[in-house]
Amino acid sequence: MSASRRSGTTDELGPDEPERPGRSGGDGPKTPGGAQPVVGPDGADLLAALLDGMDAALCAFDGDGVVTHWNREAERILGWSAEEAVGRRGFAGWAVREADAEDIEGRLMAAMHAPGRQVNEFALLTKDGGRVLVRTQSAAVPGPDGKPAGLYCAFSEVHAQIDLERSIALSEALFDDASWGVVLVDADLRPAVVNAHAARALGTGRTAVLGRPLGELLTRGAEELENALTHVLAEGAPPAPAELWVGVRTPDGEKRRCWRSGFLRLASPLAEEPVPLGVGWIFQDVTEAKQGEQEASLLRFRANQLHRAARAAAECEDPVEAATVHLDFALAGFADHALVDRVMGDPDGPGPLRLMRVVATPSGGPGPSTLAGHAGLPVRYAEGHPALQCVLRAGSVRAGSGSVPADEAREWARARQWPQDTVQALCAVLRSRGRTLGVVTFLRGGGRTAFERSDANYAEDVAVRIASALDLADLTAAADAAGPGES
């Protein structure tokens, strides 16, 4: 334990000082009922406990350079006990080399007459003869008259000080100049500290984020994030980063972002048992990279489907069957239903444009395409129907029910002669040898996203193959009707 003159090496606080009021046996004030008041430790004991509880090594000198205090951390670093250190004059011959003693003691004692704290680095000797490079902070201790009566010197190993400074510098850099988001979340799952990058990603200011529930900061994905934070608080950091899709409010509306996130459980270093202070959440926006990966994967899948469909269709003797093969392969992962309508008559001729259903997928559930239109009756499409527009424009047309109630969406689909669960449609024209043969319509239900430009490109690729198969069917039928002797 630390030594002071009360233990026999100093005489600032001795056992012969007069008893203070309130001590056992004295005439000090009593509490009601005659009980003695509770008395705390005397000044020397409290000082010794404070010195020994410090994380830094500390020693003190009187005005003559004699060691008056030496705490346990100083004993741990140098190996000299308080009994061996207190009462020695300076460090010469035991804690520093003789050759260095004059310079070191001169720099230490100079702190008695200098304002503020003085910082120095020098090598001290350990009890077993080793050397330790320490960084010291020294300052004068004033006496009752205000003049310097001695000085204290707090020191720590340089590598430990450097580690501390690095930790502080890292923390400041993370919360200032980091190129990724850093958020400290408290045990209640509310942001406590947010760096500038994270505040920009959340679409708000650094102070506006603090203390708010995550559900107020994100339009979607807050539940997944809170679940991850709760797991880290209970179980510790996960072994690998997690990719979380969230919705962020922006002046232009909600934006979906993918954040690659790492989590660290924070515990207090001052507690005997690990006490969770919260979670450190570090994330980086990888939306563009993830979207690029998804698009590349989708393109590979669709190219593979087109290749497989072409190989399967090549084995079909009936060209119309080959058209249904192309349609079935195209539906996988792309749409829920599909329809193929043929133009009846000349699309550029007089009279209204009419379409006849020739191929359709089951509307009640999954299944292969089936041939239809054997009776040759036109489909009852109203004027302005997307399929009619597609034929007239000779280009793709997209349609959707929009954000309407479910009953209105079903009515929208029934009015267009589509299955009632349809909310999105994409029509691609069937053209072969410079002629418009009809239209193929792909339909999606409520569980899918709207058709995009890339979807239209894929539908047009499929339409080219279906149109070629149907055109071949027409040529084959015409050849069969003409007979074997005609061309």
Side-chain angles (χ1 to χ4, degrees):
M1 62 179 289
S2 68
S4 69
R5 293 190 176 179
R6 187 180 187 280
S7 62
T9 55
T10 69
D11 55 9
E12 291 177 342
L13 293 174
D16 297 329
E17 66 180 306
E19 290 185 337
R20 298 170 187 164
R23 289 194 178 183
S24 177
D27 298 327
K30 298 182 180 181
T31 57
Q36 293 286 347
V38 177
V39 178
D42 69 17
D45 293 336
L46 179 60
L47 177 60
L50 290 174
L51 294 181
D52 282 340
M54 293 178 60
D55 291 330
L58 185 135
C59 63
F61 301 86
D62 62 15
D64 296 327
V66 177
V67 178
T68 60
H69 295 81
W70 189 267
N71 73 347
R72 286 184 177 177
E73 185 65 13
E75 179 179 347
R76 186 194 66 80
I77 293 176
L78 298 180
W80 300 97
S81 67
E83 289 76 11
E84 295 171 310
V86 173
R88 290 179 181 263
R89 185 181 184 87
F91 284 154
W94 63 286
V96 298
R97 297 189 308 174
E98 291 286 354
D100 301 331
E102 183 178 354
D103 174 62
I104 291 175
E105 292 180 10
R107 283 193 283 168
L108 281 177
M109 300 307 291
M112 289 181 60
H113 307 286
R117 292 179 296 176
Q118 304 296 308
V119 178
N120 292 286
E121 287 186 8
F122 43 74
L124 296 181
L125 293 178
T126 63
K127 187 176 181 179
D128 58 7
R131 300 182 72 197
V132 178
L133 185 62
V134 299
R135 179 173 296 177
T136 67
Q137 293 188 36
S138 305
V141 178
D145 57 357
K147 297 180 180 180
L151 65 91
Y152 76 84
C153 173
F155 61 92
S156 60
E157 297 174 84
V158 167
H159 71 81
Q161 182 71 19
I162 292 176
D163 288 344
L164 175 61
E165 292 178 2
R166 284 189 183 128
S167 298
I168 296 173
L170 174 61
S171 298
E172 292 180 350
L174 286 175
F175 288 106
D176 189 16
D177 303 324
S179 59
W180 51 86
V182 181
V183 180
L184 295 190
V185 183
D186 62 22
D188 294 328
L189 306 186
R190 294 174 183 247
V193 186
V194 178
N195 76 341
H197 187 98
R200 288 193 300 269
L202 291 167
T204 184
R206 293 182 66 175
T207 57
V209 178
L210 305 183
R212 295 174 59 186
L214 295 174
E216 294 182 5
L217 303 174
L218 303 173
T219 57
R220 67 174 74 183
E223 296 82 2
E224 291 79 1
L225 177 56
E226 289 179 349
N227 180 64
L229 295 172
T230 302
H231 173 81
V232 174
L233 279 173
E235 304 292 338
E243 292 176 351
L244 303 175
W245 283 93
V246 300
V248 182
R249 295 182 182 90
T250 68
D252 301 327
E254 178 188 307
K255 284 189 176 180
R256 277 188 87 227
R257 312 303 296 173
C258 181
W259 291 342
R260 181 170 292 149
S261 303
F263 302 95
L264 298 170
R265 181 167 62 178
L266 305 179
S268 172
L270 304 179
E272 294 183 4
E273 297 293 333
V275 177
L277 297 178
V279 176
W281 171 33
I282 303 174
F283 67 89
Q284 189 174 28
D285 195 318
V286 293
T287 307
E288 286 73 18
K290 291 300 295 183
Q291 288 176 341
E293 293 175 5
Q294 291 174 352
E295 291 173 2
S297 177
L298 185 61
L299 286 175
R300 287 194 299 270
F301 173 76
R302 289 178 175 176
N304 187 47
Q305 288 296 98
L306 291 174
H307 174 73
R308 294 174 60 198
R311 289 176 59 88
E315 302 300 323
C316 297
E317 296 183 4
D318 182 2
V320 177
E321 182 184 355
T324 64
V325 169
H326 283 292
L327 192 64
D328 290 336
F329 273 94
L331 276 179
F334 182 67
D336 297 313
H337 307 293
L339 311 168
V340 176
D341 300 324
R342 291 291 305 270
V343 173
M344 299 180 67
D346 185 1
D348 299 323
L353 176 64
R354 296 182 301 168
L355 298 176
M356 178 182 66
R357 179 72 42 79
V358 293
V359 179
T361 57
S363 60
S369 304
T370 58
L371 299 178
H374 301 292
L377 299 176
V379 184
R380 295 182 298 106
Y381 284 153
E383 185 178 355
H385 191 281
L388 298 177
Q389 294 181 38
C390 179
V391 173
L392 293 175
R393 297 177 185 178
S396 299
V397 174
R398 285 178 285 177
S401 62
S403 300
V404 298
D407 55 344
E408 294 184 23
R410 287 191 292 269
E411 183 59 32
W412 176 86
R414 281 195 295 266
R416 286 155 181 79
Q417 308 300 314
W418 292 332
Q420 64 177 2
D421 60 342
T422 300
V423 295
Q424 301 290 340
L426 173 60
C427 300
V429 66
L430 302 176
R431 288 185 61 83
S432 178
R433 294 188 297 145
R435 298 179 302 121
T436 298
L437 304 182
V439 58
V440 57
T441 303
F442 295 99
L443 306 173
R444 287 179 176 176
R448 295 179 180 266
T449 60
F451 288 103
E452 299 179 353
R453 180 64 253 179
S454 60
D455 298 324
N457 292 338
Y458 180 61
E460 290 166 2
D461 287 343
V462 176
V464 168
R465 289 162 169 77
I466 294 176
S468 299
L470 295 179
D471 193 18
L472 178 60
D474 292 344
L475 292 175
T476 303
D480 292 341
E486 301 182 21
S487 60

